Amino acid sequence: MKIKKIELEQVAGFKDQWPKQFMDEIAFVGRSNVGKSSFINSFLNRKALAKTSSKPGKTRTINFYRINDKFRLVDLPGYGYAKVDKKEKEKWNHLINTYLNEREDLKEVFLLVDIRHEPTTLDKQMYDWIRSSGFIGFVIATKFDKIKKGQVHKHIKAIKDKLEIEDEGLIFAYSSLSKHNKDVLEEQIQVILEN
């Protein structure tokens, strides 16, 4: 899959702002500060397309990226950020849930987790929802460059066990710096879009 054209099509804080449904969408979801924006920038070969921050909770909207005028990558707000007031947190959760439950063009949801840490209870709940909604259950384990090569298998196994994933091949270790596994993910997304 060659990415030739990228456009930030819509930044949506409300359902009314979502783009019209006529294009396949692949969504990325994960905890605040898991590295979703860094992943998207790296995967799409752009330095500052998605806004990154050292402070969690930066993405408060659903961002729709139109790729090659053929499909959209959708960046959902991070969940589980403790320092946000309850009202704001409820708004984010409603936005995420509405999108995931009602978006007919949604072809697949990738869960992002930090490879260095065991997935949280919220990650497990999200993964269970992804599977029960009929999606395959792909996981991108970010920050791969921050662990020693000899520790990779141990960390992948911890993710596999916590999320109760049967097929380890559904977990992709990814580095936004080295773009480790970028080609494999591109191929996987191509397959998803063709089915």
Side-chain angles (χ1 to χ4, degrees):
M1 179 184 71
K2 282 267 185 282
I3 295 173
K4 295 173 183 169
K5 186 179 174 190
I6 303 163
E7 175 193 346
L8 174 54
E9 185 176 2
Q10 187 65 45
V11 175
F14 307 95
K15 184 182 175 181
D16 295 352
Q17 298 173 317
W18 296 353
K20 295 220 171 354
Q21 300 199 62
F22 60 88
M23 199 176 273
D24 288 339
E25 293 178 353
I26 293 174
F28 297 92
V29 66
R31 272 185 306 115
S32 292
N33 217 25
V34 76
K36 250 185 318 82
S37 298
S38 296
F39 164 75
I40 286 169
N41 286 333
S42 166
F43 186 71
L44 297 177
N45 292 321
R46 293 292 188 275
K47 283 211 162 67
L49 187 68
K51 299 283 183 279
T52 59
S53 171
S54 56
K55 289 182 181 171
K58 188 76 179 165
T59 306
R60 299 180 179 211
T61 51
I62 299 179
N63 299 334
F64 294 84
Y65 298 95
R66 188 181 177 114
I67 313 298
N68 295 341
D69 288 327
K70 288 199 162 50
F71 70 100
R72 295 185 185 104
L73 291 186
V74 182
D75 181 14
L76 295 167
Y79 54 78
Y81 181 43
K83 291 185 182 171
V84 174
D85 69 53
K86 195 176 171 203
K87 197 173 171 189
E88 186 73 12
K89 203 180 284 186
E90 282 170 4
K91 187 178 149 194
W92 290 1
N93 288 341
H94 178 70
L95 193 63
I96 295 167
N97 290 335
T98 304
Y99 173 82
L100 291 174
N101 287 303
E102 296 182 18
R103 193 66 168 167
E104 289 172 18
D105 284 342
L106 183 57
K107 290 270 292 192
E108 191 56 68
V109 181
F110 283 77
L111 175 67
L112 276 72
V113 297
D114 186 329
I115 199 168
R116 299 170 300 177
H117 310 295
E118 185 180 275
T120 64
T121 304
L122 282 174
D123 291 326
K124 177 71 170 91
Q125 287 171 358
M126 178 57 77
Y127 192 75
D128 289 348
W129 179 90
I130 289 169
R131 294 287 294 124
S132 67
S133 298
F135 298 109
I136 293 169
F138 294 111
V139 174
I140 297 170
T142 62
K143 309 187 183 185
F144 167 74
D145 50 286
K146 300 215 161 93
I147 58 169
K148 292 179 179 158
K149 289 225 166 32
Q151 299 286 303
V152 174
H153 183 71
K154 183 184 92 171
H155 287 276
I156 293 287
K157 187 177 182 313
I159 293 167
K160 180 177 180 279
D161 292 348
K162 176 73 179 190
L163 298 179
E164 296 176 22
I165 299 172
E166 287 180 24
D167 180 3
E168 201 172 285
L170 295 175
I171 306 169
F172 302 90
Y174 191 85
S175 163
S176 292
L177 296 176
S178 70
K179 301 187 181 179
H180 176 76
N181 270 340
K182 179 177 184 286
D183 53 343
V184 180
L185 276 167
E186 283 175 341
E187 281 175 32
Q188 187 58 70
I189 287 173
Q190 187 71 47
V191 169
I192 292 164
L193 293 169
E194 284 170 0
N195 287 336

